[in-house]
């Protein structure tokens, strides 16, 4: 995705806030806000932000899983299933 077409100065954001928010929701593309000619912030719609956070959470879970595998913190699936079945029958 190219962000160069979605760059606006902070003065534009101040003058057109409602329009910018509507455009963010419709286009679902982030907007780079500049201040004194430098990129200072990125705005995005809430739905896109939530999707990004969910994706990051999933990637973190995968990374933690890989670390556990590398550290040998694993058990055979048959042992786990047997343990779960044992809990289920004793818990009734």
């Amino acid at each position: 995705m190219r962000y160069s077409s979605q760059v606006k100065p902070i003065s534009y954001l101040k003058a057109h806030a409602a329009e910018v928010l509507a455009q963010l929701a419709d286009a679902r593309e982030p907007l780079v806000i500049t201040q004194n000619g430098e990129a200072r912030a990125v705005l995005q719609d809430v739905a896109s932000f939530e999707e990004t956070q969910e994706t990051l959470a999933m990637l973190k879970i995968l990374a933690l899983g890989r670390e556990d595998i590398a550290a040998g913190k694993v058990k055979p699936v048959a042992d786990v299933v047997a343990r779960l079945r044992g809990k289920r029958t004793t818990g009734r």
Side-chain angles (χ1 to χ4, degrees):
M1 175 184 298
R2 299 190 128 217
Y3 295 117
S4 58
S5 64
Q6 294 290 78
V7 177
K8 299 287 183 195
I10 196 166
S11 58
Y12 181 86
L13 176 62
K14 289 177 184 179
H16 301 93
E19 178 185 328
V20 167
L21 292 177
Q23 183 181 12
L24 286 172
D26 291 341
R28 296 199 63 193
E29 291 184 5
L31 177 65
V32 177
I33 301 298
T34 62
Q35 187 176 32
N36 298 324
E38 292 186 26
R40 302 293 289 189
V42 177
L43 294 177
Q44 69 181 143
D45 64 286
V46 173
S48 295
F49 176 77
E50 288 173 343
E51 288 174 8
T52 300
Q53 294 304 304
E54 290 172 5
T55 301
L56 289 173
M58 181 64 73
L59 289 172
K60 183 164 187 155
I61 289 168
L62 291 172
L64 291 171
R66 292 186 117 187
E67 288 175 11
D68 284 349
I69 291 169
K73 297 179 184 177
V74 295
K75 295 183 180 182
V77 71
D79 293 353
V80 174
V81 170
R83 184 172 154 229
L84 291 173
R85 285 187 177 150
K87 283 185 177 182
R88 200 168 77 195
T89 57
T90 59
R92 288 184 185 179

